[in-house]
């Protein structure tokens, strides 16, 4: 009996070894022991029945947790800020200079249009607006037929 | 998968933050799971997992690719987790690795497999036990939690465990034996399965021999 218990002390820790983890002799001796020893056979069954539980449980815990902030926190710690959130407002915040430059002519055109419409809104009235670009002066007048743009002082009657 | 890792690591080394971000996202949950298994506390595990990635980033230049990137990440995680536990714990016994005959006489072998094996409620009981794993793990000493987590979550071999934990292969086997024995005892308790009598003949010399 004493010898048998010594065998268990030796072989019980080998239970659960994967293929190739024991030497050929160890594997053979373990197999022989498991055939002869009910207790170690039961240990092997318990191990097989509970194998993977730890992994399943911990990965399930990890899956339950909200990891949304994790990577941003890591990147902030290593000096890389999180990428800006997507959306029109965030895009405008990042590109406000270009956006402003692109929109200025359009805004100016709308302003001119509104000015001309406002000043010449009464029947028979005529609004006059002058603006210059690269030395050329242009004039916009509001007539009863609508706004007329005079592109060149020397070219009377042109444009419309 | 590993090829992708390699490509991402190469880009991250060259300063591509998005590549490093992709690596973090790929491994964050498993790194957290490993840390959680060892340190027990979810918030501490979160911090350890983040610190692991910060360390990884700081040493990317040292990573030669001799092992898989994931192996390297988990190695760092393990060390940080163990350090975190050792910083926090007060003196703890349970340092013996040898398997003693008396321990083999405690009984309980086969009870779990009987309950789980052919029982139609198998899945329900297994799910129930899975829900108790974290509590059961928490009752184990740090070194037993660590080896069990590395074996089961990271899937390390005896040889890899010996190298990672800097212990002999024989110690790996006996430490795993202790860890599993304690875990199974805790699970039996949670499942309300008595361990007093053990398996047939299991306690009386015959069963153990």
């Amino acid at each position: 009996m004493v010898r048998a218990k010594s065998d268990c002390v030796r072989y019980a820790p080998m239970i659960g070894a994967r293929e190739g983890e024991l030497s050929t002799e160890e594997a053979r001796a373990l197999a022989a022991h498991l055939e002869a020893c009910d207790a170690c056979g039961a240990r092997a069954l318990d191990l097989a029945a509970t194998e993977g539980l730890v992994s399943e449980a911990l990965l399930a815990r990890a899956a339950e947790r909200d990891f949304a902030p994790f990577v941003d926190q890591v990147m902030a710690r290593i000096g890389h800020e999180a990428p800006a959130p997507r959306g029109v407002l965030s895009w405008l915040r990042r590109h406000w200079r270009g956006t402003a430059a692109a929109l200025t002519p359009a805004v100016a055109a709308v302003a001119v249009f509104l000015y001309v419409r406002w000043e010449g809104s009464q029947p028979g009235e005529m609004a006059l607006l002058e603006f210059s670009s690269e030395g050329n002066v242009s004039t916009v007048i509001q007539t009863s037929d609508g706004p007329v743009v005079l592109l060149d002082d020397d070219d009377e009657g042109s444009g419309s | 998968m590993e090829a992708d890792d390699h490509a991402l690591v190469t880009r991250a080394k060259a300063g591509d933050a998005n590549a490093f971000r992709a690596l973090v996202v790929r491994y964050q949950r498993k790194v957290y799971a490993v840390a959680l298994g060892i340190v027990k506390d979810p918030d501490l595990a979160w911090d350890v997992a983040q610190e692991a990635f910060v360390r990884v980033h700081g040493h990317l230049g040292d990573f030669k690719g001799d092992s898989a990137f994931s192996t390297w990440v988990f190695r760092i995680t393990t060390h940080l987790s163990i350090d975190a536990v050792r910083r926090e714990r007060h003196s703890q016994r349970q340092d013996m690795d040898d398997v003693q005959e008396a321990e083999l006489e405690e009984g309980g072998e086969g009870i779990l497999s009987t309950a789980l094996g052919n029982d139609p409620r198998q899945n329900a009981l297994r799910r129930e036990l899975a829900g108790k794993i974290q509590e059961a793990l928490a009752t184990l000493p740090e070194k037993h939690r660590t080896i069990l987590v590395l074996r089961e979550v990271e899937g390390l071999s005896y040889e890899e465990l010996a190298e990672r934990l800097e212990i002999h292969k024989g110690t790996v086997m006996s430490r795993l034996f202790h860890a599993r024995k304690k875990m199974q005892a805790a699970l039996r308790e949670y499942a309300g399965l008595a361990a007093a009598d053990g398996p047939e003949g299991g306690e009386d010399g015959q069963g153990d021999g």
Side-chain angles (χ1 to χ4, degrees):
Chain A
M1 289 307 160
V2 172
R3 185 169 176 275
K5 283 188 178 178
S6 299
D7 284 349
C8 288
V9 168
R10 181 178 175 201
Y11 293 115
M14 294 183 187
I15 296 169
R18 297 175 191 150
E19 201 173 328
E21 289 186 322
L22 298 178
S23 68
T24 311
E25 299 85 61
E26 284 174 331
R28 194 175 298 139
L30 173 63
H33 178 76
L34 286 176
E35 278 199 17
C37 177
D38 291 342
C40 281
R43 288 186 182 104
L45 289 174
D46 276 352
L47 183 59
T50 54
E51 187 115 52
L53 269 177
V54 170
S55 179
E56 283 171 30
L58 290 174
L59 290 173
R61 286 283 183 279
E64 286 165 8
R65 185 152 186 169
D66 176 15
F67 265 75
F70 186 91
V71 69
D72 287 340
Q73 289 169 0
V74 170
M75 298 308 283
R77 286 183 61 183
I78 62 175
H80 293 283
E81 292 303 324
R86 292 177 181 179
V88 175
L89 287 177
S90 64
W91 189 89
L92 287 175
R93 268 199 296 275
R94 283 179 282 133
H95 301 284
W96 67 271
R97 287 176 199 275
T99 305
L103 289 180
T104 298
V107 171
V110 170
V112 167
F113 175 76
L114 290 175
Y115 172 80
V116 170
R117 294 278 295 178
W118 173 261
E119 291 298 321
S121 60
Q122 297 303 315
E125 285 188 3
M126 185 171 69
L128 185 64
L129 178 68
E130 282 191 354
F131 58 92
S132 66
S133 173
E134 296 179 355
N136 297 319
V137 177
S138 300
T139 304
V140 178
I141 60 173
Q142 176 70 29
T143 70
S144 55
D145 294 329
V148 174
V149 179
L150 305 177
L151 295 176
D152 191 326
D153 283 347
D154 297 333
D155 191 11
E156 284 185 39
S158 71
S160 61
Chain B
M1 179 68 79
E2 290 304 329
D4 283 352
D5 280 0
H6 183 71
L8 287 172
V9 168
T10 304
R11 284 168 49 199
K13 277 182 173 182
D16 183 341
N18 285 331
F20 187 72
R21 168 179 284 271
L23 287 167
V24 173
V25 170
R26 182 173 293 176
Y27 289 109
Q28 58 189 7
R29 288 184 191 276
K30 199 166 176 187
V31 163
Y32 172 79
V34 168
L36 178 63
I38 298 173
V39 305
K40 299 189 286 188
D41 179 72
D43 292 331
L44 182 56
W46 184 270
D47 291 343
V48 166
Q50 289 206 341
E51 180 62 21
F53 284 112
V54 170
R55 297 276 181 101
V56 163
H57 185 267
H59 292 87
L60 266 180
D62 301 330
F63 178 64
K64 306 296 180 200
D66 297 335
S67 62
F69 174 77
S70 57
T71 303
W72 185 50
V73 174
F74 290 126
R75 184 195 310 276
I76 291 173
T77 306
T78 306
H79 288 314
L80 288 173
S81 301
I82 292 171
D83 284 349
V85 172
R86 289 181 181 168
R87 271 200 306 276
E88 291 216 333
R89 81 176 175 191
H90 1 279
S91 70
Q92 201 162 13
R93 274 299 288 140
Q94 296 283 11
D95 275 325
M96 194 161 44
D97 280 318
D98 291 342
V99 176
Q100 309 290 320
E101 285 184 12
E103 293 171 275
L104 295 173
E105 293 176 0
E106 289 167 7
E109 300 87 1
I111 293 181
L112 280 170
S113 59
T114 301
L116 288 166
N118 299 317
D119 191 328
R121 295 171 303 134
Q122 175 185 352
N123 291 335
L125 178 57
R126 190 178 169 87
R127 273 199 299 279
E128 189 183 326
L129 290 180
K132 295 290 185 184
I133 284 287
Q134 210 178 334
E135 284 176 58
L137 260 182
T139 65
L140 269 55
E142 167 260 309
K143 66 179 185 178
H144 290 159
R145 287 199 306 276
T146 300
I147 201 162
L148 208 48
V149 167
L150 295 184
R151 177 74 169 179
E152 295 223 1
V153 181
E154 206 182 326
L156 296 189
S157 66
Y158 286 165
E159 202 172 315
E160 289 167 327
L161 285 168
E163 190 252 322
R164 174 81 58 90
L165 300 173
E166 297 175 352
I167 54 180
H168 294 293
K169 180 181 154 188
T171 308
V172 165
M173 290 194 288
S174 55
R175 194 176 287 185
L176 261 177
F177 172 80
H178 285 297
R180 285 170 171 154
K181 193 169 166 59
K182 285 174 182 163
M183 174 63 81
Q184 288 174 1
L187 291 178
R188 282 196 300 268
E189 197 176 318
Y190 287 128
L193 301 166
D197 296 330
E200 292 172 14
E203 286 305 295
D204 220 354
Q206 174 66 35
D208 267 351

PDB file of all heavy atoms in Angstrom, chain B residues 46-73:
ATOM      1  N   TRP B  46      -7.593  45.810 -14.860  1.00  0.00           N
ATOM      2  CA  TRP B  46      -7.699  46.832 -15.929  1.00  0.00           C
ATOM      3  C   TRP B  46      -6.405  47.652 -15.987  1.00  0.00           C
ATOM      4  O   TRP B  46      -5.829  47.861 -17.057  1.00  0.00           O
ATOM      5  CB  TRP B  46      -8.903  47.715 -15.621  1.00  0.00           C
ATOM      6  CG  TRP B  46      -9.239  48.770 -16.629  1.00  0.00           C
ATOM      7  CD1 TRP B  46      -8.765  50.060 -16.657  1.00  0.00           C
ATOM      8  CD2 TRP B  46     -10.131  48.659 -17.749  1.00  0.00           C
ATOM      9  NE1 TRP B  46      -9.309  50.734 -17.709  1.00  0.00           N
ATOM     10  CE2 TRP B  46     -10.151  49.911 -18.402  1.00  0.00           C
ATOM     11  CE3 TRP B  46     -10.922  47.635 -18.267  1.00  0.00           C
ATOM     12  CZ2 TRP B  46     -10.922  50.159 -19.541  1.00  0.00           C
ATOM     13  CZ3 TRP B  46     -11.688  47.879 -19.393  1.00  0.00           C
ATOM     14  CH2 TRP B  46     -11.684  49.116 -20.010  1.00  0.00           C
ATOM     15  N   ASP B  47      -5.952  48.079 -14.821  1.00  0.00           N
ATOM     16  CA  ASP B  47      -4.715  48.878 -14.767  1.00  0.00           C
ATOM     17  C   ASP B  47      -3.512  48.066 -15.228  1.00  0.00           C
ATOM     18  O   ASP B  47      -2.655  48.567 -15.968  1.00  0.00           O
ATOM     19  CB  ASP B  47      -4.464  49.375 -13.332  1.00  0.00           C
ATOM     20  CG  ASP B  47      -5.487  50.420 -12.910  1.00  0.00           C
ATOM     21  OD1 ASP B  47      -6.151  50.973 -13.808  1.00  0.00           O
ATOM     22  OD2 ASP B  47      -5.625  50.657 -11.703  1.00  0.00           O
ATOM     23  N   VAL B  48      -3.452  46.834 -14.768  1.00  0.00           N
ATOM     24  CA  VAL B  48      -2.325  45.970 -15.152  1.00  0.00           C
ATOM     25  C   VAL B  48      -2.327  45.744 -16.664  1.00  0.00           C
ATOM     26  O   VAL B  48      -1.282  45.801 -17.321  1.00  0.00           O
ATOM     27  CB  VAL B  48      -2.404  44.616 -14.399  1.00  0.00           C
ATOM     28  CG1 VAL B  48      -1.468  43.587 -15.031  1.00  0.00           C
ATOM     29  CG2 VAL B  48      -2.040  44.810 -12.926  1.00  0.00           C
ATOM     30  N   ALA B  49      -3.496  45.505 -17.213  1.00  0.00           N
ATOM     31  CA  ALA B  49      -3.599  45.262 -18.663  1.00  0.00           C
ATOM     32  C   ALA B  49      -3.150  46.499 -19.441  1.00  0.00           C
ATOM     33  O   ALA B  49      -2.424  46.395 -20.437  1.00  0.00           O
ATOM     34  CB  ALA B  49      -5.043  44.896 -19.028  1.00  0.00           C
ATOM     35  N   GLN B  50      -3.550  47.669 -18.960  1.00  0.00           N
ATOM     36  CA  GLN B  50      -3.118  48.899 -19.643  1.00  0.00           C
ATOM     37  C   GLN B  50      -1.609  49.091 -19.526  1.00  0.00           C
ATOM     38  O   GLN B  50      -0.935  49.440 -20.496  1.00  0.00           O
ATOM     39  CB  GLN B  50      -3.826  50.102 -19.031  1.00  0.00           C
ATOM     40  CG  GLN B  50      -5.299  50.146 -19.390  1.00  0.00           C
ATOM     41  CD  GLN B  50      -5.856  51.548 -19.355  1.00  0.00           C
ATOM     42  OE1 GLN B  50      -5.273  52.433 -18.751  1.00  0.00           O
ATOM     43  NE2 GLN B  50      -6.986  51.745 -19.991  1.00  0.00           N
ATOM     44  N   GLU B  51      -1.117  48.847 -18.327  1.00  0.00           N
ATOM     45  CA  GLU B  51       0.320  49.003 -18.114  1.00  0.00           C
ATOM     46  C   GLU B  51       1.096  48.032 -19.010  1.00  0.00           C
ATOM     47  O   GLU B  51       2.166  48.372 -19.522  1.00  0.00           O
ATOM     48  CB  GLU B  51       0.649  48.756 -16.631  1.00  0.00           C
ATOM     49  CG  GLU B  51       2.123  48.893 -16.279  1.00  0.00           C
ATOM     50  CD  GLU B  51       2.683  50.300 -16.517  1.00  0.00           C
ATOM     51  OE1 GLU B  51       1.887  51.257 -16.562  1.00  0.00           O
ATOM     52  OE2 GLU B  51       3.915  50.424 -16.704  1.00  0.00           O
ATOM     53  N   ALA B  52       0.544  46.849 -19.185  1.00  0.00           N
ATOM     54  CA  ALA B  52       1.207  45.867 -20.056  1.00  0.00           C
ATOM     55  C   ALA B  52       1.358  46.427 -21.468  1.00  0.00           C
ATOM     56  O   ALA B  52       2.435  46.324 -22.074  1.00  0.00           O
ATOM     57  CB  ALA B  52       0.399  44.564 -20.081  1.00  0.00           C
ATOM     58  N   PHE B  53       0.313  47.043 -21.983  1.00  0.00           N
ATOM     59  CA  PHE B  53       0.403  47.594 -23.340  1.00  0.00           C
ATOM     60  C   PHE B  53       1.327  48.810 -23.389  1.00  0.00           C
ATOM     61  O   PHE B  53       2.021  49.019 -24.387  1.00  0.00           O
ATOM     62  CB  PHE B  53      -0.991  47.948 -23.858  1.00  0.00           C
ATOM     63  CG  PHE B  53      -1.792  46.752 -24.280  1.00  0.00           C
ATOM     64  CD1 PHE B  53      -2.915  46.359 -23.577  1.00  0.00           C
ATOM     65  CD2 PHE B  53      -1.406  45.992 -25.386  1.00  0.00           C
ATOM     66  CE1 PHE B  53      -3.645  45.245 -23.960  1.00  0.00           C
ATOM     67  CE2 PHE B  53      -2.123  44.883 -25.778  1.00  0.00           C
ATOM     68  CZ  PHE B  53      -3.248  44.506 -25.063  1.00  0.00           C
ATOM     69  N   VAL B  54       1.340  49.582 -22.326  1.00  0.00           N
ATOM     70  CA  VAL B  54       2.259  50.729 -22.289  1.00  0.00           C
ATOM     71  C   VAL B  54       3.709  50.228 -22.316  1.00  0.00           C
ATOM     72  O   VAL B  54       4.556  50.755 -23.039  1.00  0.00           O
ATOM     73  CB  VAL B  54       1.998  51.596 -21.025  1.00  0.00           C
ATOM     74  CG1 VAL B  54       3.091  52.642 -20.852  1.00  0.00           C
ATOM     75  CG2 VAL B  54       0.630  52.272 -21.123  1.00  0.00           C
ATOM     76  N   ARG B  55       3.964  49.177 -21.535  1.00  0.00           N
ATOM     77  CA  ARG B  55       5.323  48.592 -21.520  1.00  0.00           C
ATOM     78  C   ARG B  55       5.680  48.025 -22.896  1.00  0.00           C
ATOM     79  O   ARG B  55       6.796  48.169 -23.372  1.00  0.00           O
ATOM     80  CB  ARG B  55       5.410  47.464 -20.485  1.00  0.00           C
ATOM     81  CG  ARG B  55       5.185  47.914 -19.056  1.00  0.00           C
ATOM     82  CD  ARG B  55       6.456  48.461 -18.439  1.00  0.00           C
ATOM     83  NE  ARG B  55       6.213  48.876 -17.061  1.00  0.00           N
ATOM     84  CZ  ARG B  55       6.546  48.155 -16.006  1.00  0.00           C
ATOM     85  NH1 ARG B  55       7.148  46.992 -16.159  1.00  0.00           N
ATOM     86  NH2 ARG B  55       6.286  48.592 -14.793  1.00  0.00           N
ATOM     87  N   VAL B  56       4.697  47.337 -23.463  1.00  0.00           N
ATOM     88  CA  VAL B  56       4.924  46.765 -24.799  1.00  0.00           C
ATOM     89  C   VAL B  56       5.302  47.862 -25.777  1.00  0.00           C
ATOM     90  O   VAL B  56       6.268  47.730 -26.536  1.00  0.00           O
ATOM     91  CB  VAL B  56       3.651  46.017 -25.290  1.00  0.00           C
ATOM     92  CG1 VAL B  56       3.702  45.775 -26.788  1.00  0.00           C
ATOM     93  CG2 VAL B  56       3.505  44.691 -24.554  1.00  0.00           C
ATOM     94  N   HIS B  57       4.559  48.938 -25.745  1.00  0.00           N
ATOM     95  CA  HIS B  57       4.861  50.045 -26.659  1.00  0.00           C
ATOM     96  C   HIS B  57       6.249  50.613 -26.394  1.00  0.00           C
ATOM     97  O   HIS B  57       7.011  50.893 -27.326  1.00  0.00           O
ATOM     98  CB  HIS B  57       3.807  51.142 -26.514  1.00  0.00           C
ATOM     99  CG  HIS B  57       3.978  52.260 -27.489  1.00  0.00           C
ATOM    100  ND1 HIS B  57       4.702  53.405 -27.196  1.00  0.00           N
ATOM    101  CD2 HIS B  57       3.567  52.402 -28.771  1.00  0.00           C
ATOM    102  CE1 HIS B  57       4.711  54.195 -28.246  1.00  0.00           C
ATOM    103  NE2 HIS B  57       4.029  53.626 -29.217  1.00  0.00           N
ATOM    104  N   GLY B  58       6.576  50.730 -25.111  1.00  0.00           N
ATOM    105  CA  GLY B  58       7.880  51.299 -24.748  1.00  0.00           C
ATOM    106  C   GLY B  58       9.050  50.432 -25.171  1.00  0.00           C
ATOM    107  O   GLY B  58      10.168  50.919 -25.314  1.00  0.00           O
ATOM    108  N   HIS B  59       8.795  49.143 -25.333  1.00  0.00           N
ATOM    109  CA  HIS B  59       9.884  48.221 -25.684  1.00  0.00           C
ATOM    110  C   HIS B  59       9.713  47.597 -27.062  1.00  0.00           C
ATOM    111  O   HIS B  59      10.323  46.554 -27.349  1.00  0.00           O
ATOM    112  CB  HIS B  59       9.999  47.118 -24.616  1.00  0.00           C
ATOM    113  CG  HIS B  59      10.476  47.650 -23.296  1.00  0.00           C
ATOM    114  ND1 HIS B  59       9.622  48.158 -22.359  1.00  0.00           N
ATOM    115  CD2 HIS B  59      11.725  47.794 -22.790  1.00  0.00           C
ATOM    116  CE1 HIS B  59      10.318  48.576 -21.312  1.00  0.00           C
ATOM    117  NE2 HIS B  59      11.593  48.373 -21.551  1.00  0.00           N
ATOM    118  N   LEU B  60       8.869  48.192 -27.860  1.00  0.00           N
ATOM    119  CA  LEU B  60       8.654  47.631 -29.208  1.00  0.00           C
ATOM    120  C   LEU B  60       9.971  47.469 -29.962  1.00  0.00           C
ATOM    121  O   LEU B  60      10.171  46.500 -30.692  1.00  0.00           O
ATOM    122  CB  LEU B  60       7.738  48.556 -30.017  1.00  0.00           C
ATOM    123  CG  LEU B  60       6.245  48.241 -30.017  1.00  0.00           C
ATOM    124  CD1 LEU B  60       5.500  49.262 -30.857  1.00  0.00           C
ATOM    125  CD2 LEU B  60       5.974  46.835 -30.506  1.00  0.00           C
ATOM    126  N   GLY B  61      10.849  48.413 -29.745  1.00  0.00           N
ATOM    127  CA  GLY B  61      12.130  48.371 -30.442  1.00  0.00           C
ATOM    128  C   GLY B  61      12.981  47.175 -30.044  1.00  0.00           C
ATOM    129  O   GLY B  61      13.843  46.730 -30.813  1.00  0.00           O
ATOM    130  N   ASP B  62      12.724  46.645 -28.843  1.00  0.00           N
ATOM    131  CA  ASP B  62      13.494  45.490 -28.362  1.00  0.00           C
ATOM    132  C   ASP B  62      12.907  44.171 -28.839  1.00  0.00           C
ATOM    133  O   ASP B  62      13.535  43.125 -28.704  1.00  0.00           O
ATOM    134  CB  ASP B  62      13.518  45.468 -26.821  1.00  0.00           C
ATOM    135  CG  ASP B  62      14.127  46.738 -26.267  1.00  0.00           C
ATOM    136  OD1 ASP B  62      14.988  47.315 -26.957  1.00  0.00           O
ATOM    137  OD2 ASP B  62      13.728  47.160 -25.168  1.00  0.00           O
ATOM    138  N   PHE B  63      11.682  44.226 -29.342  1.00  0.00           N
ATOM    139  CA  PHE B  63      11.015  42.984 -29.750  1.00  0.00           C
ATOM    140  C   PHE B  63      11.570  42.524 -31.091  1.00  0.00           C
ATOM    141  O   PHE B  63      11.391  43.181 -32.111  1.00  0.00           O
ATOM    142  CB  PHE B  63       9.509  43.202 -29.842  1.00  0.00           C
ATOM    143  CG  PHE B  63       8.747  41.992 -30.290  1.00  0.00           C
ATOM    144  CD1 PHE B  63       8.730  40.838 -29.512  1.00  0.00           C
ATOM    145  CD2 PHE B  63       8.047  41.983 -31.482  1.00  0.00           C
ATOM    146  CE1 PHE B  63       8.042  39.717 -29.917  1.00  0.00           C
ATOM    147  CE2 PHE B  63       7.348  40.867 -31.896  1.00  0.00           C
ATOM    148  CZ  PHE B  63       7.343  39.737 -31.110  1.00  0.00           C
ATOM    149  N   LYS B  64      12.239  41.374 -31.043  1.00  0.00           N
ATOM    150  CA  LYS B  64      12.908  40.888 -32.255  1.00  0.00           C
ATOM    151  C   LYS B  64      12.042  39.937 -33.062  1.00  0.00           C
ATOM    152  O   LYS B  64      12.417  39.523 -34.150  1.00  0.00           O
ATOM    153  CB  LYS B  64      14.209  40.161 -31.881  1.00  0.00           C
ATOM    154  CG  LYS B  64      15.159  40.992 -31.022  1.00  0.00           C
ATOM    155  CD  LYS B  64      15.647  42.219 -31.778  1.00  0.00           C
ATOM    156  CE  LYS B  64      16.597  43.042 -30.896  1.00  0.00           C
ATOM    157  NZ  LYS B  64      16.711  44.431 -31.364  1.00  0.00           N
ATOM    158  N   GLY B  65      10.938  39.526 -32.482  1.00  0.00           N
ATOM    159  CA  GLY B  65      10.071  38.608 -33.214  1.00  0.00           C
ATOM    160  C   GLY B  65      10.495  37.155 -33.091  1.00  0.00           C
ATOM    161  O   GLY B  65      10.061  36.316 -33.878  1.00  0.00           O
ATOM    162  N   ASP B  66      11.345  36.844 -32.103  1.00  0.00           N
ATOM    163  CA  ASP B  66      11.753  35.450 -31.901  1.00  0.00           C
ATOM    164  C   ASP B  66      10.570  34.603 -31.444  1.00  0.00           C
ATOM    165  O   ASP B  66      10.489  33.417 -31.735  1.00  0.00           O
ATOM    166  CB  ASP B  66      12.869  35.364 -30.864  1.00  0.00           C
ATOM    167  CG  ASP B  66      14.115  36.091 -31.349  1.00  0.00           C
ATOM    168  OD1 ASP B  66      14.274  36.212 -32.581  1.00  0.00           O
ATOM    169  OD2 ASP B  66      14.918  36.545 -30.512  1.00  0.00           O
ATOM    170  N   SER B  67       9.697  35.224 -30.670  1.00  0.00           N
ATOM    171  CA  SER B  67       8.472  34.535 -30.265  1.00  0.00           C
ATOM    172  C   SER B  67       7.308  35.316 -30.852  1.00  0.00           C
ATOM    173  O   SER B  67       7.492  36.394 -31.416  1.00  0.00           O
ATOM    174  CB  SER B  67       8.371  34.511 -28.738  1.00  0.00           C
ATOM    175  OG  SER B  67       8.295  35.828 -28.245  1.00  0.00           O
ATOM    176  N   ALA B  68       6.122  34.740 -30.693  1.00  0.00           N
ATOM    177  CA  ALA B  68       4.940  35.441 -31.204  1.00  0.00           C
ATOM    178  C   ALA B  68       4.736  36.720 -30.402  1.00  0.00           C
ATOM    179  O   ALA B  68       5.069  36.777 -29.209  1.00  0.00           O
ATOM    180  CB  ALA B  68       3.718  34.548 -31.084  1.00  0.00           C
ATOM    181  N   PHE B  69       4.170  37.713 -31.043  1.00  0.00           N
ATOM    182  CA  PHE B  69       3.887  38.971 -30.338  1.00  0.00           C
ATOM    183  C   PHE B  69       2.994  38.712 -29.133  1.00  0.00           C
ATOM    184  O   PHE B  69       3.210  39.258 -28.054  1.00  0.00           O
ATOM    185  CB  PHE B  69       3.207  39.949 -31.310  1.00  0.00           C
ATOM    186  CG  PHE B  69       2.745  41.216 -30.651  1.00  0.00           C
ATOM    187  CD1 PHE B  69       3.652  42.215 -30.324  1.00  0.00           C
ATOM    188  CD2 PHE B  69       1.407  41.408 -30.362  1.00  0.00           C
ATOM    189  CE1 PHE B  69       3.226  43.390 -29.707  1.00  0.00           C
ATOM    190  CE2 PHE B  69       0.975  42.579 -29.747  1.00  0.00           C
ATOM    191  CZ  PHE B  69       1.892  43.567 -29.427  1.00  0.00           C
ATOM    192  N   SER B  70       1.983  37.844 -29.336  1.00  0.00           N
ATOM    193  CA  SER B  70       1.054  37.568 -28.240  1.00  0.00           C
ATOM    194  C   SER B  70       1.780  36.965 -27.042  1.00  0.00           C
ATOM    195  O   SER B  70       1.496  37.303 -25.895  1.00  0.00           O
ATOM    196  CB  SER B  70      -0.066  36.642 -28.711  1.00  0.00           C
ATOM    197  OG  SER B  70       0.483  35.448 -29.229  1.00  0.00           O
ATOM    198  N   THR B  71       2.731  36.071 -27.316  1.00  0.00           N
ATOM    199  CA  THR B  71       3.493  35.457 -26.217  1.00  0.00           C
ATOM    200  C   THR B  71       4.215  36.529 -25.428  1.00  0.00           C
ATOM    201  O   THR B  71       4.241  36.518 -24.186  1.00  0.00           O
ATOM    202  CB  THR B  71       4.532  34.466 -26.782  1.00  0.00           C
ATOM    203  OG1 THR B  71       3.849  33.504 -27.576  1.00  0.00           O
ATOM    204  CG2 THR B  71       5.293  33.765 -25.674  1.00  0.00           C
ATOM    205  N   TRP B  72       4.795  37.461 -26.139  1.00  0.00           N
ATOM    206  CA  TRP B  72       5.530  38.555 -25.489  1.00  0.00           C
ATOM    207  C   TRP B  72       4.585  39.413 -24.640  1.00  0.00           C
ATOM    208  O   TRP B  72       4.884  39.752 -23.492  1.00  0.00           O
ATOM    209  CB  TRP B  72       6.215  39.380 -26.577  1.00  0.00           C
ATOM    210  CG  TRP B  72       7.094  40.472 -26.073  1.00  0.00           C
ATOM    211  CD1 TRP B  72       8.074  40.375 -25.122  1.00  0.00           C
ATOM    212  CD2 TRP B  72       7.078  41.840 -26.488  1.00  0.00           C
ATOM    213  NE1 TRP B  72       8.666  41.603 -24.942  1.00  0.00           N
ATOM    214  CE2 TRP B  72       8.084  42.513 -25.766  1.00  0.00           C
ATOM    215  CE3 TRP B  72       6.309  42.550 -27.404  1.00  0.00           C
ATOM    216  CZ2 TRP B  72       8.330  43.882 -25.930  1.00  0.00           C
ATOM    217  CZ3 TRP B  72       6.569  43.903 -27.591  1.00  0.00           C
ATOM    218  CH2 TRP B  72       7.564  44.552 -26.854  1.00  0.00           C
ATOM    219  N   VAL B  73       3.426  39.735 -25.204  1.00  0.00           N
ATOM    220  CA  VAL B  73       2.457  40.558 -24.472  1.00  0.00           C
ATOM    221  C   VAL B  73       2.008  39.848 -23.198  1.00  0.00           C
ATOM    222  O   VAL B  73       1.954  40.442 -22.115  1.00  0.00           O
ATOM    223  CB  VAL B  73       1.226  40.870 -25.355  1.00  0.00           C
ATOM    224  CG1 VAL B  73       0.155  41.592 -24.560  1.00  0.00           C
ATOM    225  CG2 VAL B  73       1.636  41.691 -26.566  1.00  0.00           C
TER     226      VAL B  73
END
